[in-house]
Amino acid sequence: MNLVGPTDFSVLIEGQSGTGKEVLAKRIHLKSNRKDKTFLAVDCGAIPKDLASSEFFGHKKGSFTGAITDKIGYFEAANGGTIFLDEIGNLSYEHQIQLLRAIQERKIKPVGGNVDIAVDIRIIAATNENLKEAIANGDFREDLYHRLNEFSIISPSLKDRADDIILFAEFFLDKVNTQLNKNVIGFAPEVIQLFYKYDWPGNLRELQNVIKKATLLAQDNIIKVIDLPLEITNQTVGLNMGTTVAPKVSYSLKDNEKEQILQALRETDNNKTKAAELLNITRKTLYNKLKEYGIDL
């Protein structure tokens, strides 16, 4: 991302729904020379087929029924910046042709207009479909695919990023605490185990929703198993959960929590990073626990 960000390459981001493709696109934009210009995200799957040309390229007053004023389309609105075309595979074949022309020539013509408008934009597209398979089936244009795919990035599913699950969970927890004016500081050890074991079919979007609901339901300063939805709690929880889990649990915080923390710190010569690993929690959770128990190092 650091390499492609400063360029004007078109980027294709592939991955399952909910894996944070728009976040990646925004990060690419912020690393570019266009970072102070518009970043416009467009959900191609949400645009009605009969309005797609108008939405992308604008229209002139009177060009069709309901066109009571001139309208600027997405491409002109993003001029100078970046346009992010999410779920690009949902575009009809006709609109793929129009999009190809706009990308190749960097010119657009509003519906009902007679004059081309030059646009200087960077294209970042994303899909949860296999576009190569769509090309083979005649559903997606190969020439458009190559225009979009000057550089490709795979956005991995959450279950393939086990080491990041708790980092994301704490990120979402901070956001929800602010939204709900709550002060939930972390997760019970059993909750962390369940998070690592769960497959997260909805990826980051599902994790964010789980954290929102659990934070709202939490009656204490940590999220407990009782606060989680049934699809997560209806699992067999064990300490050995395969190769896609966090480091081996060496300590439990279920009982005598303060003493467990002090013991981990003693065994690691007060190295908080190593102590957090022994306790199977993140550094941030450990710092919150130190503050909670008044442990001053």
Side-chain angles (χ1 to χ4, degrees):
M1 192 177 301
N2 290 330
L3 291 175
V4 75
T7 73
D8 263 343
F9 282 17
S10 294
V11 179
L12 180 62
I13 304 174
E14 300 175 273
Q16 297 176 2
S17 293
T19 54
K21 295 188 289 294
E22 183 173 342
V23 174
L24 286 176
K26 186 65 178 291
R27 288 178 63 187
I28 292 170
H29 170 72
L30 292 176
K31 290 180 179 293
S32 74
N33 295 328
R34 301 171 184 267
K35 61 185 177 183
D36 296 323
K37 303 293 184 180
T38 301
F39 174 86
L40 184 58
V42 179
D43 183 355
C44 297
I47 302 175
K49 183 178 179 180
D50 56 344
L51 295 178
S53 296
S54 172
E55 293 294 311
F56 280 120
F57 310 122
H59 64 247
K60 292 296 183 181
K61 178 181 178 180
S63 56
F64 56 86
T65 302
I68 58 176
T69 61
D70 289 353
K71 176 181 178 178
I72 293 176
Y74 294 135
F75 272 63
E76 191 174 356
N79 198 9
T82 301
I83 186 168
F84 172 57
L85 303 175
D86 196 12
E87 303 307 345
I88 191 71
N90 288 323
L91 282 182
S92 70
Y93 208 78
E94 174 189 354
H95 295 121
Q96 291 174 35
I97 296 172
Q98 295 175 347
L99 180 60
L100 177 63
R101 176 183 179 272
I103 295 174
Q104 287 181 157
E105 301 181 11
R106 291 299 195 266
K107 292 180 181 179
I108 61 168
K109 183 179 290 184
V111 177
N114 298 316
V115 179
D116 285 338
I117 299 173
V119 288
D120 172 26
I121 55 174
R122 183 185 195 172
I123 306 290
I124 302 177
T127 182
N128 64 0
E129 299 181 31
N130 186 328
L131 291 186
K132 290 184 178 179
E133 185 175 299
I135 292 169
N137 294 333
D139 296 324
F140 200 84
R141 291 184 62 96
E142 185 172 10
D143 46 6
L144 176 58
Y145 173 79
H146 291 299
R147 283 288 179 180
L148 296 172
N149 191 26
E150 292 181 335
F151 190 89
S152 63
I153 295 176
I154 302 296
S155 183
S157 61
L158 187 56
K159 69 178 181 180
D160 294 329
R161 306 167 70 179
D163 292 341
D164 296 332
I165 288 175
I166 298 304
L167 294 177
F168 283 124
E170 291 190 334
F171 171 77
F172 293 138
L173 179 61
D174 285 343
K175 290 182 64 176
V176 177
N177 272 329
T178 300
Q179 293 169 359
L180 300 181
N181 195 28
K182 298 192 73 170
N183 188 33
V184 178
I185 64 173
F187 308 90
E190 307 85 45
V191 169
I192 293 175
Q193 287 191 337
L194 285 169
F195 279 1
Y196 281 123
K197 186 174 178 61
Y198 187 56
D199 280 342
W200 298 106
N203 293 295
L204 289 175
R205 190 176 294 125
E206 182 180 11
L207 176 61
Q208 183 175 20
N209 288 338
V210 167
I211 300 301
K212 282 183 179 180
K213 295 173 186 176
T215 305
L216 179 64
L217 293 172
Q219 298 299 307
D220 298 309
N221 64 349
I222 62 170
I223 289 175
K224 299 180 179 179
V225 172
I226 195 173
D227 303 318
L228 300 179
L230 290 177
E231 60 265 25
I232 295 179
T233 58
N234 287 347
Q235 301 180 93
T236 301
V237 183
L239 295 183
N240 181 10
M241 294 182 285
T243 59
T244 60
V245 298
K248 182 179 178 182
V249 179
S250 298
Y251 290 80
S252 170
L253 295 182
K254 289 164 53 176
D255 303 310
N256 303 316
E257 190 171 55
K258 182 176 179 179
E259 181 55 37
Q260 297 276 352
I261 292 171
L262 290 171
Q263 178 63 26
L265 289 167
R266 284 193 291 268
E267 293 208 11
T268 59
D269 294 325
N270 291 334
N271 184 311
K272 297 183 182 65
T273 298
K274 292 182 179 179
E277 290 176 355
L278 285 177
L279 294 163
N280 195 29
I281 59 178
T282 64
R283 277 172 54 91
K284 181 176 179 180
T285 298
L286 177 58
Y287 278 110
N288 285 332
K289 292 292 183 182
L290 294 177
K291 181 178 179 181
E292 179 183 355
Y293 293 119
I295 300 174
D296 187 15
L297 297 177

PDB file of all heavy atoms in Angstrom, residues 2 5 36 50 68 103 106 123 126 129 137 139 154 194 196 205 207 224 226 233 237 256-257 294:
ATOM      1  N   ASN A   2       1.973   1.207   0.704  1.00  0.00           N
ATOM      2  CA  ASN A   2       2.867   2.366   0.722  1.00  0.00           C
ATOM      3  C   ASN A   2       3.467   2.629  -0.652  1.00  0.00           C
ATOM      4  O   ASN A   2       3.816   3.765  -0.977  1.00  0.00           O
ATOM      5  CB  ASN A   2       3.989   2.144   1.743  1.00  0.00           C
ATOM      6  CG  ASN A   2       3.490   2.189   3.170  1.00  0.00           C
ATOM      7  OD1 ASN A   2       2.523   2.886   3.470  1.00  0.00           O
ATOM      8  ND2 ASN A   2       4.130   1.454   4.053  1.00  0.00           N
ATOM      9  N   GLY A   5       0.184   3.692  -3.106  1.00  0.00           N
ATOM     10  CA  GLY A   5      -0.550   4.868  -2.649  1.00  0.00           C
ATOM     11  C   GLY A   5      -0.167   6.160  -3.354  1.00  0.00           C
ATOM     12  O   GLY A   5      -1.028   6.891  -3.861  1.00  0.00           O
ATOM     13  N   ASP A  36      -5.736  15.682  -0.235  1.00  0.00           N
ATOM     14  CA  ASP A  36      -6.492  16.867   0.178  1.00  0.00           C
ATOM     15  C   ASP A  36      -7.699  17.120  -0.710  1.00  0.00           C
ATOM     16  O   ASP A  36      -8.419  18.108  -0.520  1.00  0.00           O
ATOM     17  CB  ASP A  36      -5.576  18.098   0.182  1.00  0.00           C
ATOM     18  CG  ASP A  36      -4.451  17.980   1.197  1.00  0.00           C
ATOM     19  OD1 ASP A  36      -4.700  17.423   2.284  1.00  0.00           O
ATOM     20  OD2 ASP A  36      -3.328  18.428   0.904  1.00  0.00           O
ATOM     21  N   ASP A  50     -31.539   2.002 -14.401  1.00  0.00           N
ATOM     22  CA  ASP A  50     -31.975   3.047 -15.313  1.00  0.00           C
ATOM     23  C   ASP A  50     -31.455   4.432 -14.939  1.00  0.00           C
ATOM     24  O   ASP A  50     -31.612   5.382 -15.707  1.00  0.00           O
ATOM     25  CB  ASP A  50     -33.508   3.075 -15.405  1.00  0.00           C
ATOM     26  CG  ASP A  50     -34.169   3.250 -14.042  1.00  0.00           C
ATOM     27  OD1 ASP A  50     -33.495   3.050 -13.022  1.00  0.00           O
ATOM     28  OD2 ASP A  50     -35.376   3.579 -14.006  1.00  0.00           O
ATOM     29  N   ILE A  68     -35.446  17.738 -13.753  1.00  0.00           N
ATOM     30  CA  ILE A  68     -35.963  19.115 -13.686  1.00  0.00           C
ATOM     31  C   ILE A  68     -34.849  20.150 -13.526  1.00  0.00           C
ATOM     32  O   ILE A  68     -35.085  21.342 -13.678  1.00  0.00           O
ATOM     33  CB  ILE A  68     -36.976  19.251 -12.538  1.00  0.00           C
ATOM     34  CG1 ILE A  68     -36.334  18.862 -11.196  1.00  0.00           C
ATOM     35  CG2 ILE A  68     -38.197  18.384 -12.801  1.00  0.00           C
ATOM     36  CD1 ILE A  68     -37.245  19.058  -9.989  1.00  0.00           C
ATOM     37  N   ILE A 103     -12.834   5.931 -18.114  1.00  0.00           N
ATOM     38  CA  ILE A 103     -11.514   5.667 -17.544  1.00  0.00           C
ATOM     39  C   ILE A 103     -10.418   5.841 -18.593  1.00  0.00           C
ATOM     40  O   ILE A 103      -9.356   6.404 -18.317  1.00  0.00           O
ATOM     41  CB  ILE A 103     -11.471   4.251 -16.937  1.00  0.00           C
ATOM     42  CG1 ILE A 103     -12.439   4.154 -15.743  1.00  0.00           C
ATOM     43  CG2 ILE A 103     -10.055   3.889 -16.500  1.00  0.00           C
ATOM     44  CD1 ILE A 103     -12.567   2.757 -15.182  1.00  0.00           C
ATOM     45  N   ARG A 106     -10.670   9.702 -19.792  1.00  0.00           N
ATOM     46  CA  ARG A 106     -10.765  10.704 -18.729  1.00  0.00           C
ATOM     47  C   ARG A 106     -11.686  11.854 -19.164  1.00  0.00           C
ATOM     48  O   ARG A 106     -11.444  13.021 -18.893  1.00  0.00           O
ATOM     49  CB  ARG A 106      -9.381  11.241 -18.336  1.00  0.00           C
ATOM     50  CG  ARG A 106      -8.501  10.210 -17.613  1.00  0.00           C
ATOM     51  CD  ARG A 106      -9.179   9.767 -16.290  1.00  0.00           C
ATOM     52  NE  ARG A 106      -8.286   9.069 -15.395  1.00  0.00           N
ATOM     53  CZ  ARG A 106      -8.147   7.748 -15.328  1.00  0.00           C
ATOM     54  NH1 ARG A 106      -8.837   6.989 -16.136  1.00  0.00           N
ATOM     55  NH2 ARG A 106      -7.329   7.198 -14.462  1.00  0.00           N
ATOM     56  N   ILE A 123      -9.062   5.968  -9.932  1.00  0.00           N
ATOM     57  CA  ILE A 123     -10.078   4.934  -9.754  1.00  0.00           C
ATOM     58  C   ILE A 123      -9.575   3.859  -8.800  1.00  0.00           C
ATOM     59  O   ILE A 123      -8.503   3.291  -8.996  1.00  0.00           O
ATOM     60  CB  ILE A 123     -10.445   4.263 -11.095  1.00  0.00           C
ATOM     61  CG1 ILE A 123     -10.854   5.303 -12.140  1.00  0.00           C
ATOM     62  CG2 ILE A 123     -11.544   3.232 -10.882  1.00  0.00           C
ATOM     63  CD1 ILE A 123     -12.152   5.977 -11.880  1.00  0.00           C
ATOM     64  N   ALA A 126     -13.616  -2.145  -6.007  1.00  0.00           N
ATOM     65  CA  ALA A 126     -13.617  -3.290  -5.094  1.00  0.00           C
ATOM     66  C   ALA A 126     -14.708  -4.263  -5.483  1.00  0.00           C
ATOM     67  O   ALA A 126     -15.726  -3.884  -6.077  1.00  0.00           O
ATOM     68  CB  ALA A 126     -13.821  -2.818  -3.651  1.00  0.00           C
ATOM     69  N   GLU A 129     -16.778 -10.506  -5.698  1.00  0.00           N
ATOM     70  CA  GLU A 129     -16.986 -11.549  -6.696  1.00  0.00           C
ATOM     71  C   GLU A 129     -15.665 -11.935  -7.350  1.00  0.00           C
ATOM     72  O   GLU A 129     -14.690 -11.189  -7.301  1.00  0.00           O
ATOM     73  CB  GLU A 129     -17.955 -11.062  -7.776  1.00  0.00           C
ATOM     74  CG  GLU A 129     -19.335 -10.689  -7.273  1.00  0.00           C
ATOM     75  CD  GLU A 129     -20.244 -10.241  -8.399  1.00  0.00           C
ATOM     76  OE1 GLU A 129     -20.063 -10.739  -9.527  1.00  0.00           O
ATOM     77  OE2 GLU A 129     -21.114  -9.394  -8.155  1.00  0.00           O
ATOM     78  N   ASN A 137     -17.744 -16.063 -17.959  1.00  0.00           N
ATOM     79  CA  ASN A 137     -19.182 -16.267 -18.158  1.00  0.00           C
ATOM     80  C   ASN A 137     -19.806 -15.183 -19.034  1.00  0.00           C
ATOM     81  O   ASN A 137     -21.015 -15.227 -19.295  1.00  0.00           O
ATOM     82  CB  ASN A 137     -19.908 -16.313 -16.812  1.00  0.00           C
ATOM     83  CG  ASN A 137     -19.523 -17.520 -15.977  1.00  0.00           C
ATOM     84  OD1 ASN A 137     -19.130 -18.550 -16.519  1.00  0.00           O
ATOM     85  ND2 ASN A 137     -19.620 -17.392 -14.660  1.00  0.00           N
ATOM     86  N   ASP A 139     -20.069 -12.002 -18.222  1.00  0.00           N
ATOM     87  CA  ASP A 139     -20.787 -11.015 -17.401  1.00  0.00           C
ATOM     88  C   ASP A 139     -19.959  -9.781 -17.088  1.00  0.00           C
ATOM     89  O   ASP A 139     -20.503  -8.797 -16.571  1.00  0.00           O
ATOM     90  CB  ASP A 139     -21.232 -11.660 -16.080  1.00  0.00           C
ATOM     91  CG  ASP A 139     -22.236 -12.780 -16.300  1.00  0.00           C
ATOM     92  OD1 ASP A 139     -23.063 -12.646 -17.224  1.00  0.00           O
ATOM     93  OD2 ASP A 139     -22.178 -13.780 -15.557  1.00  0.00           O
ATOM     94  N   ILE A 154      -5.570  -7.921  -1.988  1.00  0.00           N
ATOM     95  CA  ILE A 154      -6.526  -8.854  -1.403  1.00  0.00           C
ATOM     96  C   ILE A 154      -6.817  -8.408   0.025  1.00  0.00           C
ATOM     97  O   ILE A 154      -5.898  -8.224   0.831  1.00  0.00           O
ATOM     98  CB  ILE A 154      -5.980 -10.297  -1.387  1.00  0.00           C
ATOM     99  CG1 ILE A 154      -5.629 -10.752  -2.814  1.00  0.00           C
ATOM    100  CG2 ILE A 154      -6.995 -11.239  -0.755  1.00  0.00           C
ATOM    101  CD1 ILE A 154      -6.804 -10.824  -3.745  1.00  0.00           C
ATOM    102  N   LEU A 194     -13.806 -17.131  22.740  1.00  0.00           N
ATOM    103  CA  LEU A 194     -14.917 -17.299  21.800  1.00  0.00           C
ATOM    104  C   LEU A 194     -14.673 -16.508  20.518  1.00  0.00           C
ATOM    105  O   LEU A 194     -14.987 -16.979  19.419  1.00  0.00           O
ATOM    106  CB  LEU A 194     -16.226 -16.855  22.446  1.00  0.00           C
ATOM    107  CG  LEU A 194     -16.826 -17.813  23.472  1.00  0.00           C
ATOM    108  CD1 LEU A 194     -17.958 -17.145  24.239  1.00  0.00           C
ATOM    109  CD2 LEU A 194     -17.331 -19.084  22.811  1.00  0.00           C
ATOM    110  N   TYR A 196     -11.798 -15.800  19.161  1.00  0.00           N
ATOM    111  CA  TYR A 196     -10.796 -16.487  18.350  1.00  0.00           C
ATOM    112  C   TYR A 196     -11.357 -17.745  17.688  1.00  0.00           C
ATOM    113  O   TYR A 196     -10.931 -18.120  16.594  1.00  0.00           O
ATOM    114  CB  TYR A 196      -9.582 -16.858  19.196  1.00  0.00           C
ATOM    115  CG  TYR A 196      -8.642 -15.697  19.447  1.00  0.00           C
ATOM    116  CD1 TYR A 196      -8.322 -15.304  20.742  1.00  0.00           C
ATOM    117  CD2 TYR A 196      -8.071 -14.996  18.391  1.00  0.00           C
ATOM    118  CE1 TYR A 196      -7.471 -14.239  20.972  1.00  0.00           C
ATOM    119  CE2 TYR A 196      -7.219 -13.936  18.621  1.00  0.00           C
ATOM    120  CZ  TYR A 196      -6.926 -13.557  19.909  1.00  0.00           C
ATOM    121  OH  TYR A 196      -6.086 -12.501  20.128  1.00  0.00           O
ATOM    122  N   ARG A 205     -17.556  -6.172   9.657  1.00  0.00           N
ATOM    123  CA  ARG A 205     -18.878  -5.577   9.865  1.00  0.00           C
ATOM    124  C   ARG A 205     -19.633  -6.328  10.954  1.00  0.00           C
ATOM    125  O   ARG A 205     -20.292  -5.723  11.806  1.00  0.00           O
ATOM    126  CB  ARG A 205     -19.658  -5.602   8.557  1.00  0.00           C
ATOM    127  CG  ARG A 205     -20.948  -4.785   8.592  1.00  0.00           C
ATOM    128  CD  ARG A 205     -21.617  -4.763   7.237  1.00  0.00           C
ATOM    129  NE  ARG A 205     -20.782  -4.050   6.260  1.00  0.00           N
ATOM    130  CZ  ARG A 205     -20.390  -4.568   5.112  1.00  0.00           C
ATOM    131  NH1 ARG A 205     -20.728  -5.797   4.787  1.00  0.00           N
ATOM    132  NH2 ARG A 205     -19.659  -3.855   4.266  1.00  0.00           N
ATOM    133  N   LEU A 207     -18.209  -8.148  13.396  1.00  0.00           N
ATOM    134  CA  LEU A 207     -17.515  -7.887  14.656  1.00  0.00           C
ATOM    135  C   LEU A 207     -17.943  -6.546  15.233  1.00  0.00           C
ATOM    136  O   LEU A 207     -18.211  -6.423  16.433  1.00  0.00           O
ATOM    137  CB  LEU A 207     -16.000  -7.913  14.441  1.00  0.00           C
ATOM    138  CG  LEU A 207     -15.141  -7.548  15.659  1.00  0.00           C
ATOM    139  CD1 LEU A 207     -15.380  -8.509  16.818  1.00  0.00           C
ATOM    140  CD2 LEU A 207     -13.658  -7.537  15.279  1.00  0.00           C
ATOM    141  N   LYS A 224     -18.895  -9.644  28.969  1.00  0.00           N
ATOM    142  CA  LYS A 224     -18.911 -11.040  29.396  1.00  0.00           C
ATOM    143  C   LYS A 224     -19.649 -11.892  28.369  1.00  0.00           C
ATOM    144  O   LYS A 224     -20.303 -11.373  27.464  1.00  0.00           O
ATOM    145  CB  LYS A 224     -19.567 -11.158  30.770  1.00  0.00           C
ATOM    146  CG  LYS A 224     -18.832 -10.377  31.859  1.00  0.00           C
ATOM    147  CD  LYS A 224     -19.538 -10.525  33.197  1.00  0.00           C
ATOM    148  CE  LYS A 224     -18.798  -9.764  34.296  1.00  0.00           C
ATOM    149  NZ  LYS A 224     -19.491  -9.873  35.602  1.00  0.00           N
ATOM    150  N   ILE A 226     -22.305 -13.521  28.602  1.00  0.00           N
ATOM    151  CA  ILE A 226     -23.752 -13.294  28.611  1.00  0.00           C
ATOM    152  C   ILE A 226     -24.153 -12.124  27.711  1.00  0.00           C
ATOM    153  O   ILE A 226     -25.308 -12.015  27.284  1.00  0.00           O
ATOM    154  CB  ILE A 226     -24.249 -13.052  30.067  1.00  0.00           C
ATOM    155  CG1 ILE A 226     -25.775 -13.188  30.127  1.00  0.00           C
ATOM    156  CG2 ILE A 226     -23.780 -11.695  30.571  1.00  0.00           C
ATOM    157  CD1 ILE A 226     -26.322 -13.138  31.536  1.00  0.00           C
ATOM    158  N   THR A 233     -21.859 -17.647  21.267  1.00  0.00           N
ATOM    159  CA  THR A 233     -21.761 -18.384  22.532  1.00  0.00           C
ATOM    160  C   THR A 233     -22.064 -19.865  22.367  1.00  0.00           C
ATOM    161  O   THR A 233     -21.637 -20.672  23.196  1.00  0.00           O
ATOM    162  CB  THR A 233     -22.719 -17.787  23.577  1.00  0.00           C
ATOM    163  OG1 THR A 233     -24.063 -17.827  23.064  1.00  0.00           O
ATOM    164  CG2 THR A 233     -22.337 -16.356  23.897  1.00  0.00           C
ATOM    165  N   VAL A 237     -15.933 -24.187  23.876  1.00  0.00           N
ATOM    166  CA  VAL A 237     -14.753 -23.384  24.157  1.00  0.00           C
ATOM    167  C   VAL A 237     -13.687 -24.234  24.809  1.00  0.00           C
ATOM    168  O   VAL A 237     -13.917 -24.884  25.814  1.00  0.00           O
ATOM    169  CB  VAL A 237     -15.106 -22.206  25.094  1.00  0.00           C
ATOM    170  CG1 VAL A 237     -13.886 -21.333  25.319  1.00  0.00           C
ATOM    171  CG2 VAL A 237     -16.248 -21.401  24.525  1.00  0.00           C
ATOM    172  N   ASN A 256      -9.060 -14.596  41.110  1.00  0.00           N
ATOM    173  CA  ASN A 256      -7.916 -13.894  41.704  1.00  0.00           C
ATOM    174  C   ASN A 256      -7.172 -13.069  40.652  1.00  0.00           C
ATOM    175  O   ASN A 256      -5.950 -13.162  40.496  1.00  0.00           O
ATOM    176  CB  ASN A 256      -6.958 -14.905  42.348  1.00  0.00           C
ATOM    177  CG  ASN A 256      -7.666 -15.758  43.382  1.00  0.00           C
ATOM    178  OD1 ASN A 256      -8.439 -15.241  44.194  1.00  0.00           O
ATOM    179  ND2 ASN A 256      -7.427 -17.055  43.355  1.00  0.00           N
ATOM    180  N   GLU A 257      -7.912 -12.247  39.947  1.00  0.00           N
ATOM    181  CA  GLU A 257      -7.375 -11.554  38.788  1.00  0.00           C
ATOM    182  C   GLU A 257      -6.158 -10.689  39.117  1.00  0.00           C
ATOM    183  O   GLU A 257      -5.151 -10.702  38.406  1.00  0.00           O
ATOM    184  CB  GLU A 257      -8.482 -10.694  38.160  1.00  0.00           C
ATOM    185  CG  GLU A 257      -8.123 -10.120  36.813  1.00  0.00           C
ATOM    186  CD  GLU A 257      -9.326  -9.472  36.148  1.00  0.00           C
ATOM    187  OE1 GLU A 257      -9.943  -8.583  36.762  1.00  0.00           O
ATOM    188  OE2 GLU A 257      -9.642  -9.866  35.013  1.00  0.00           O
ATOM    189  N   GLY A 294      -5.208  -0.343  40.729  1.00  0.00           N
ATOM    190  CA  GLY A 294      -4.270   0.567  41.390  1.00  0.00           C
ATOM    191  C   GLY A 294      -2.853   0.031  41.450  1.00  0.00           C
ATOM    192  O   GLY A 294      -2.124   0.312  42.403  1.00  0.00           O
TER     193      GLY A 294
END
